[in-house]
Amino acid sequence: MAEKQTQSTSEWLENEKVRGILKEYLDETDYRIYKELNRDGRISDTELGERVGLSRTAARRRRKKLQNEGLVDVLGVLVLQEADLAYADAFVTLDPGLSQDKFDAFIAEVSTEELIYEIDEYMGEYDLLLRVWHASLSDVKRYLRTTLQAHDAVESYDAVPVTKTHKAWHKILSN
C-alpha cells in the first residue's frame, strides 16, 4: 500500500504543469502531506510522518503550518451519493443592477443555508454556482424555487441535477 501512495505522489512530482502551479504554495513534502491527509484526515501525526518520511514532530509542525496558512483544511464531508441523497448544481445569474452591498448580503444569506454546500463566483454567462442537496430531486427543485426564484438579487437560475460523482476531493468514489 505504501508503494502505491508513493507512486501517486511521484506522479505529481513528474507532472510539470501541476508542479508549476503549486510550487509557489507547496513544496514536495507539503504536497505529500496534503495527499495523505486527503486520503485520511484522521491520520495521526506519527503515521503521517511515517508515510511522508518525517518525524512525528516535523509532520505535525508542517501540517499545522499548512492549516494555519489556510492551504489545507481537514474536514468531514458528507458523500451525498453514498447517503443516497439528491444534489444539483444551480447556475445563478444575478440582477445586473445589484450593488456590492446587496451582493454581499445575498452571499451572506445563502452561506448560512445548510442545504447549500458550495458557493463559487463565476465570470461569464453565470455569476454564481450554488451546489445544493436535499432528500430528493423534487425537494431540491422546491428548495431552489423557494430560495432563489423570488429573491431580489437573482435574475434567473438553471439547475442541473447531478446523477453520479466519480471523483471528488481527489478521491475516486464508489457506487
Side-chain angles (χ1 to χ4, degrees), residues 34 37-38 41 63 66-68 70-77:
Y34 150 72
L37 290 172
N38 195 52
R63 175 189 52 78
L66 290 168
Q67 287 178 290
N68 290 340
L71 293 172
V72 171
D73 196 2
V74 180
L75 54 108
V77 177

Side-chain angles (χ1 to χ4, degrees), residues 29-30 33 37 43-50 52 54-68:
T29 302
D30 289 339
I33 289 170
L37 290 172
I43 190 172
S44 71
D45 289 331
T46 301
E47 180 69 18
L48 178 62
E50 289 172 5
V52 301
L54 295 173
S55 69
R56 178 189 61 80
T57 304
R60 179 180 186 278
R61 183 175 24 83
R62 288 182 83 130
R63 175 189 52 78
K64 290 193 68 71
K65 180 179 181 281
L66 290 168
Q67 287 178 290
N68 290 340

Side-chain angles (χ1 to χ4, degrees), residues 70-131:
L71 293 172
V72 171
D73 196 2
V74 180
L75 54 108
V77 177
L78 178 62
V79 182
L80 299 167
Q81 76 184 13
E82 297 299 323
D84 204 25
L85 294 166
Y87 50 113
D89 292 344
F91 297 94
V92 179
T93 301
L94 298 171
D95 178 340
L98 194 66
S99 70
Q100 186 65 48
D101 287 343
K102 289 189 178 185
F103 172 79
D104 293 342
F106 177 72
I107 295 296
E109 181 182 331
V110 294
S111 294
T112 64
E113 293 286 331
E114 289 287 329
L115 297 172
I116 297 175
Y117 64 94
E118 184 174 341
I119 303 169
D120 298 311
E121 192 168 345
Y122 279 28
M123 296 186 308
E125 183 177 352
Y126 300 103
D127 298 306
L128 297 173
L129 166 68
L130 305 180
R131 293 210 151 130

Side-chain angles (χ1 to χ4, degrees), residues 5 12-13 36 46 50-53 76 80 92 106 111 125 132-134 136 147 152 157 166 173:
Q5 292 167 347
W12 173 75
L13 299 174
E36 291 303 328
T46 301
E50 289 172 5
R51 290 185 186 184
V52 301
L80 299 167
V92 179
F106 177 72
S111 294
E125 183 177 352
V132 181
W133 67 277
H134 215 302
S136 70
T147 306
D152 293 342
Y157 69 92
H166 295 276
L173 301 178

